[in-house]
């Protein structure tokens, strides 16, 4: 507070002696985008919780292997998340400058970078997957599960990073409601329901749980890619 209230600071709240206040229109825009983002996060957490409850009933070793796999996939998510933040910033800035053409160019460029990152990570997982799993556990049964999980992760990383970047582009364009809807359909409904179907009625065990996760990632990719290809998100007023 002292920093921003000093006249010689780089940022000064009382520049030109104007009072600090709130603009209703700006607050309305923030609330509109923020409420959709909040709903998206709620749908994500609900879906993750229900999916975890499905897998937890498979037993200690299966659940331990599953959690290790989820930790590993979180590492690859960091690449997609970083590029998603970049796409939000670049797309939002371009649209603010009335350059929707540039927004799409930035989105495509982030996708190409994402594909390169996916390929590099997938190579490591395919070649050194069992060794990576061994960093977490030496249990033979868990390592057997790990070999199967790492094959899934090597494929899912392409879907995951790509859909996260597409979602970032849509958020940058203010299309947060569509991203929230995708989370409701795919994460909160499809992932836990398909996981339960494959795991128990079809008796596929942990393989079925990861198949459900892969279907969720594929569906999110297809929906966000479809939305990105159509230019409606470029015309949203924030």
């Amino acid at each position: 507070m002292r920093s921003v209230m000093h006249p010689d600071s780089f940022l000064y709240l009382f520049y030109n002696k104007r009072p600090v206040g709130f603009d209703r229109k700006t607050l309305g825009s923030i609330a509109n985008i923020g409420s959709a983002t909040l709903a998206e996060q709620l749908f994500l957490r609900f879906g993750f919780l229900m999916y975890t409850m499905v897998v937890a009933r498979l037993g200690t070793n299966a659940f331990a292997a599953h959690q290790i796999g989820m930790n590993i996939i979180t590492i690859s998510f960091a690449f997609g998340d970083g590029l998603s933040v970049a796409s939000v910033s670049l797309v939002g800035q371009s649209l603010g400058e009335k350059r929707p053409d540039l927004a799409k160019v930035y989105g495509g460029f982030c996708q190409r970078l994402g594909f390169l990152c996916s390929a590099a990570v997938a190579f490591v997982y395919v070649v050194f997957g069992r060794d990576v799993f061994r960093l977490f556990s030496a249990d033979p049964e868990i390592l057997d599960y790990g070999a199967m999980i790492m094959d899934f992760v090597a494929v899912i990383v392409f879907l995951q990073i790509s859909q996260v970047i597409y979602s970032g582009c849509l958020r940058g364009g203010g299309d947060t409601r569509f991203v929230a809807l995708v989370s409701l359909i795919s994460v909160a409904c499809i992932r836990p329901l398909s996981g339960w179907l494959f795991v128990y009625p079809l008796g596929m065990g942990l393989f079925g749980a990861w198949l459900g996760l892969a279907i969720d990632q594929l569906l999110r990719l297809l929906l966000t890619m479809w939305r990105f290809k159509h230019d409606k998100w470029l015309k949203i007023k924030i």
Side-chain angles (χ1 to χ4, degrees), residues 105-206:
V105 169
Y106 278 131
F109 181 70
C110 287
Q111 280 294 341
R112 287 190 288 275
L113 281 179
F115 179 82
L116 293 176
C117 291
S118 302
V121 173
F123 175 80
V124 172
Y125 288 166
V126 169
V127 176
F128 305 105
R130 195 175 181 89
D131 296 319
V132 172
F133 235 80
R134 196 175 282 112
L135 295 173
F136 294 87
S137 175
D139 188 293
E141 185 179 356
I142 292 178
L143 292 177
D144 288 340
Y145 281 127
M148 176 270 295
I149 289 173
M150 293 307 289
D151 290 339
F152 265 111
V153 172
V155 175
I156 289 173
V157 66
F158 286 95
L159 308 176
Q160 181 190 48
I161 290 179
S162 188
Q163 64 91 2
V164 167
I165 294 172
Y166 277 130
S167 296
C169 292
L170 297 179
R171 290 191 193 97
D175 201 3
T176 52
R177 291 185 180 180
F178 182 82
V179 179
L181 180 62
V182 169
S183 296
L184 171 62
I185 295 172
S186 188
V187 184
C189 297
I190 299 298
R191 182 192 284 203
L193 289 176
S194 62
W196 174 83
L197 176 65
F198 293 138
V199 171
Y200 299 111
L202 297 180
M204 299 173 70
L206 191 58

